[in-house]
Amino acid sequence: MRTQVGIVGAGPAGLVLAHLLHLEGIESVILEARGRDYIRQRVRAGVCEHPTVELFRELGLATRMDAEGLVHEGLSLRFGGEDHRIPLTELTGKSIVVYGQQEIVKDLIDAHEARGQQIHYEVSDVSLSEIDTERPRISYRDSDGVSQVLECDVIAGCDGFHGISRPAIPAQQAFDREYPFSWLGVLAQTRPSDDELIYAHHERGFALHSMRSPEITRLYLQVPNGDRIESWSDDRIWSELDTRLAADGFSLIEGPILDKNIAPMRSFVVEPMRHGRLFLAGDSAHIVPATGAKGMNLAIADVLVLSRAVKELLLHKNPEPASAYSETCLRRVWRAEHFSWFMTTMLHIDPAADPFQRRLQVSQLQYTVSSHAAATSLAENYVGLPFG
């Protein structure tokens, strides 16, 4: 097969990129290791930054988001049993929208299929070659097990942290930090206990109250690395959430738990994000701890930059934006990495921290909620810095 852009991965990064390229008249083919039903249902992030929402509206992809998404104009930092609201919109003039990543993927797949474009699902044995040339190639087996070769002008590696794209780039420098705790994530069939997100710092560990819809609540607990999900019964989860989220006037609403999992926390960046005609985007190039709600938004920022670079390269024979792709993206990536690290270290309990470090943590929280400048900085980063 022959196409202009071969996209590895049908997550938000790959799907948004395909849509942006289509608007410019650039052909693309998406290859995905998982099945269609799986990627439409897998539970992921749910916070859309202001620039992400604005982009989706501009692209005509926000109809369902605007109808079903939950607009939030603030969030709470909870510590010492007290709530401290950060008024995002009052401080920045912007808001966020809570809308599940799986819902975004559904919207993108529906738009892709409405254009008559096919996503090749359940491919295997994917490998990249000739990325230093103007005709890079993707070899793979299709869902029937038949060997295929896709010749491209550009390859976009949107296949996540464990994908095959990043290892194809030689001479990389990786920046990595693993945190001494994990997140236990819970999806519960119950209305949210509060109208906004609550980030709770507690001596027993961090907790987060979030939501996916007026009927579905998303909750998180800090747990030790190596904890097994089998150790966390539903009763134990609700008891721990009730303890860590406790505050005057707050009552945790319980309900049937639909899904629970444990995921480690890490920060990761690889440089460069490009080699030859291979470009990395999203989790294939960087990972952020979920505390800052940046992962999906960073991926979308990457592919917006990439779509413009590909347009200049293929339609106008201008290689400069493609050459600057990595440097351009990394400026935003490192800002988001810092913010995510800041939120994580301020709110979580490090099991190795001494009393001095614990007091510094509380001091930082107190300063953040009492200083207009500090609260504004948090709000500005949380709602999302402008794309580009």
Side-chain angles (χ1 to χ4, degrees), residues 108-123:
L108 289 164
I109 289 176
D110 290 346
H112 201 78
E113 293 174 347
R115 298 193 298 266
Q117 292 181 287
Q118 182 182 4
I119 299 171
H120 297 267
Y121 296 104
E122 299 180 343
V123 305

Side-chain angles (χ1 to χ4, degrees), residues 198-226:
I198 302 169
Y199 287 79
H201 170 85
H202 191 274
E203 62 182 11
R204 293 181 62 85
F206 169 76
L208 171 61
H209 168 277
S210 182
M211 63 284 293
R212 288 295 178 268
S213 75
E215 298 82 28
I216 300 294
T217 300
R218 185 70 163 152
L219 301 141
Y220 297 94
L221 286 169
Q222 175 187 343
V223 298
N225 285 338

Side-chain angles (χ1 to χ4, degrees), residues 52-263:
T52 297
V53 175
E54 291 297 296
L55 176 64
F56 272 69
R57 288 173 178 159
E58 180 184 333
L59 297 177
L61 296 170
T63 302
R64 204 158 66 91
M65 177 188 290
D66 284 336
E68 301 177 14
L70 306 176
V71 178
H72 285 212
E73 297 185 346
L75 60 83
S76 287
L77 297 183
R78 182 171 290 180
F79 58 97
E82 295 183 359
D83 239 2
H84 305 269
R85 187 172 185 267
I86 305 295
L88 302 174
T89 304
E90 179 183 320
L91 293 170
T92 68
K94 301 172 183 177
S95 60
I96 59 166
V97 174
V98 175
Y99 187 65
Q101 178 174 311
Q102 69 271 26
E103 302 306 320
I104 289 174
V105 168
K106 290 175 188 175
D107 295 342
L108 289 164
I109 289 176
D110 290 346
H112 201 78
E113 293 174 347
R115 298 193 298 266
Q117 292 181 287
Q118 182 182 4
I119 299 171
H120 297 267
Y121 296 104
E122 299 180 343
V123 305
S124 58
D125 297 334
V126 182
S127 63
L128 312 181
S129 60
E130 311 296 332
I131 62 174
D132 287 314
T133 73
E134 295 183 357
R135 292 290 184 270
R137 308 176 77 171
I138 308 175
S139 302
Y140 65 98
R141 292 187 184 276
D142 64 22
S143 58
D144 295 321
V146 178
S147 296
Q148 304 282 359
V149 176
L150 178 64
E151 187 179 87
C152 323
D153 296 313
V154 165
I155 296 175
C158 305
D159 50 342
F161 183 76
H162 299 290
I164 56 90
S165 297
R166 186 176 67 252
I169 294 183
Q172 295 174 322
Q173 183 174 8
F175 303 86
D176 196 4
R177 169 160 296 185
E178 295 186 6
Y179 295 87
F181 39 76
S182 299
W183 268 20
L184 167 60
V186 171
L187 201 65
Q189 189 172 348
T190 178
R191 64 184 178 88
S193 305
D194 194 270
D195 293 333
E196 296 181 337
L197 280 74
I198 302 169
Y199 287 79
H201 170 85
H202 191 274
E203 62 182 11
R204 293 181 62 85
F206 169 76
L208 171 61
H209 168 277
S210 182
M211 63 284 293
R212 288 295 178 268
S213 75
E215 298 82 28
I216 300 294
T217 300
R218 185 70 163 152
L219 301 141
Y220 297 94
L221 286 169
Q222 175 187 343
V223 298
N225 285 338
D227 249 19
R228 296 173 58 84
I229 198 68
E230 294 80 9
S231 302
W232 287 90
S233 66
D234 291 5
D235 287 344
R236 184 186 178 195
I237 289 170
W238 287 118
S239 175
E240 196 64 29
L241 284 166
D242 191 54
T243 297
R244 298 189 195 183
L245 290 170
D248 290 343
F250 177 81
S251 179
L252 182 65
I253 302 173
E254 300 182 12
I257 291 180
L258 307 175
D259 180 74
K260 53 185 174 182
N261 69 291
I262 293 178

